[in-house]
Amino acid sequence: MTSGLLDKLWHKTLRRPYRLYRAIDEGSGDPIVLLHGIGQTGNTWQHVVEQLGHKHRIVAFDLLGFGASPKPDWLDYDIDDHTKALIASIEKLHQKPITLVGHSMGCLVAVRLARQRPDLVKHLVLYEMPLYEGLPNKRMYRLRTDLYYRLYRRIMKFEPTSQAQKVQLAQRLAKRIAGFEVDENTWQPFMKSLKNTIMTQTAADDIKQIDTPIDVIYGRFDMLVIRGKPQKFFGEDSGHITAHTIRESHVISKKASTFIVERVEAFNNGE
């Protein structure tokens, strides 16, 4: 979790973007790019890859700061840091516009990219998007978002005094919050991404500024997201957004993967 002098010169001073590690890159045909959530890696998409890999080229990146991707200690890990690295990595694929599938924090990065570079994206599939800002002014929504923010602030108050304490806390977090894979190397990106990408969001405004076809998928048993009709969240001009609710929690299960694949295939088949 450090950055050498050459790394800082190239990426910090000269502002050259990082490129993300491809945890999965297989198949051929129309490209599908998969973005995992906070504290995870591209390998969380195995069920989706198994179902789509024989029809498409599937690329699952490790987002900046996670898995085998770069983990510079000087970055803020805000939405634009994540998006800049993703744009550079997608451009490297030398492919036509892609279908972009996000889970959790990956959804926030996906819609930011679609706003900044609409030429790169033809379809968005957003699974369990943690949308906390730009919601209708309703007491129910305020109570839910206040609860989430209290939980996240409690996590961020912990200041371990040693690497061993970081590992121990990370392991406890991983047990309590399904799917998190946090260790001493990803702890700082995790904390900064939580604060600067999830708690400080641009997604609600980004979605209003794009016309890319979007499938938003909510889990009925997911306690980390707020679900609702697109017209309430994004206004009456949200005809390009289709919302779905399935019986799932905040995980990319085999059943959820099947539904995600169905939405990808439906778009590709013009349905």
Side-chain angles (χ1 to χ4, degrees), residues 28-138:
S28 60
D30 293 340
I32 312 292
V33 172
L34 311 174
L35 307 178
H36 63 80
I38 189 172
Q40 298 177 329
T41 71
N43 289 316
T44 60
W45 293 104
Q46 285 294 344
H47 292 309
V48 171
V49 175
E50 290 168 5
Q51 298 180 52
L52 275 177
H54 62 292
K55 296 181 179 180
H56 304 273
R57 182 185 181 188
I58 308 297
V59 178
F61 289 113
D62 288 344
L63 290 177
L64 196 63
F66 299 100
S69 282
K71 303 172 181 63
D73 54 12
W74 55 271
L75 272 183
D76 291 329
Y77 291 91
D78 61 20
I79 190 65
D80 288 322
D81 287 335
H82 285 293
T83 304
K84 184 178 180 180
L86 178 61
I87 289 173
S89 303
I90 289 176
E91 288 179 331
K92 189 69 175 178
L93 297 178
H94 300 296
Q95 293 281 9
K96 55 187 176 181
I98 62 169
T99 290
L100 190 55
V101 182
H103 172 235
S104 192
M105 188 183 80
C107 298
L108 308 180
V109 180
V111 296
R112 188 64 168 174
L113 181 143
R115 178 178 182 179
Q116 292 184 350
R117 290 292 304 274
D119 58 302
L120 295 180
V121 185
K122 65 179 181 179
H123 179 213
L124 289 171
V125 180
L126 309 176
Y127 176 59
E128 309 289 24
M129 178 171 57
L131 189 67
Y132 302 147
E133 296 185 4
L135 299 174
N137 188 24
K138 292 187 176 182

Side-chain angles (χ1 to χ4, degrees), residues 7-269:
D7 179 271
K8 288 185 176 180
L9 174 64
W10 186 248
H11 296 290
K12 185 176 182 179
T13 304
L14 299 179
R15 300 183 180 275
R16 303 299 297 174
Y18 285 98
R19 290 203 177 103
L20 304 176
Y21 175 75
R22 302 177 199 172
I24 299 170
D25 186 354
E26 59 183 65
S28 60
D30 293 340
I32 312 292
V33 172
L34 311 174
L35 307 178
H36 63 80
I38 189 172
Q40 298 177 329
T41 71
N43 289 316
T44 60
W45 293 104
Q46 285 294 344
H47 292 309
V48 171
V49 175
E50 290 168 5
Q51 298 180 52
L52 275 177
H54 62 292
K55 296 181 179 180
H56 304 273
R57 182 185 181 188
I58 308 297
V59 178
F61 289 113
D62 288 344
L63 290 177
L64 196 63
F66 299 100
S69 282
K71 303 172 181 63
D73 54 12
W74 55 271
L75 272 183
D76 291 329
Y77 291 91
D78 61 20
I79 190 65
D80 288 322
D81 287 335
H82 285 293
T83 304
K84 184 178 180 180
L86 178 61
I87 289 173
S89 303
I90 289 176
E91 288 179 331
K92 189 69 175 178
L93 297 178
H94 300 296
Q95 293 281 9
K96 55 187 176 181
I98 62 169
T99 290
L100 190 55
V101 182
H103 172 235
S104 192
M105 188 183 80
C107 298
L108 308 180
V109 180
V111 296
R112 188 64 168 174
L113 181 143
R115 178 178 182 179
Q116 292 184 350
R117 290 292 304 274
D119 58 302
L120 295 180
V121 185
K122 65 179 181 179
H123 179 213
L124 289 171
V125 180
L126 309 176
Y127 176 59
E128 309 289 24
M129 178 171 57
L131 189 67
Y132 302 147
E133 296 185 4
L135 299 174
N137 188 24
K138 292 187 176 182
R139 183 172 182 272
M140 176 182 65
Y141 295 150
R142 292 197 302 271
L143 290 175
R144 288 282 295 273
T145 53
D146 287 347
L147 178 63
Y148 296 142
Y149 280 27
R150 284 200 299 269
L151 170 63
Y152 298 151
R153 290 189 187 103
R154 183 175 180 181
I155 293 173
M156 290 188 296
K157 282 182 179 179
F158 185 88
E159 297 182 0
T161 58
S162 69
Q163 288 294 94
Q165 284 184 313
K166 288 184 180 181
V167 173
Q168 291 173 4
L169 177 61
Q171 291 172 341
R172 292 200 296 272
L173 281 172
K175 291 179 180 178
R176 293 182 181 181
I177 307 177
F180 280 13
E181 301 173 10
V182 185
D183 58 25
E184 67 272 21
N185 295 315
T186 57
W187 178 252
Q188 189 179 91
F190 172 83
M191 294 287 279
K192 288 184 174 182
S193 295
L194 179 61
K195 178 182 179 182
N196 298 326
T197 294
I198 292 181
M199 295 181 67
T200 305
Q201 300 188 352
T202 63
D205 185 58
D206 289 339
I207 289 178
K208 292 177 181 178
Q209 303 302 318
I210 63 178
D211 56 11
T212 305
I214 303 174
D215 282 290
V216 179
I217 306 171
Y218 300 107
R220 185 168 297 164
F221 307 121
D222 189 345
M223 300 306 295
L224 295 177
V225 302
I226 298 172
R227 59 183 183 272
K229 295 181 179 180
Q231 293 79 7
K232 291 184 178 180
F233 282 9
F234 309 115
E236 294 301 321
D237 296 330
S238 54
H240 60 296
I241 305 174
T242 305
H244 315 268
T245 301
I246 61 176
R247 296 174 62 85
E248 268 301 345
S249 57
H250 202 77
V251 295
I252 310 173
S253 67
K254 189 172 184 178
K255 181 173 68 175
S257 297
T258 298
F259 192 85
I260 291 169
V261 168
E262 289 175 356
R263 300 324 308 158
V264 171
E265 295 290 61
F267 176 85
N268 286 327
N269 294 332

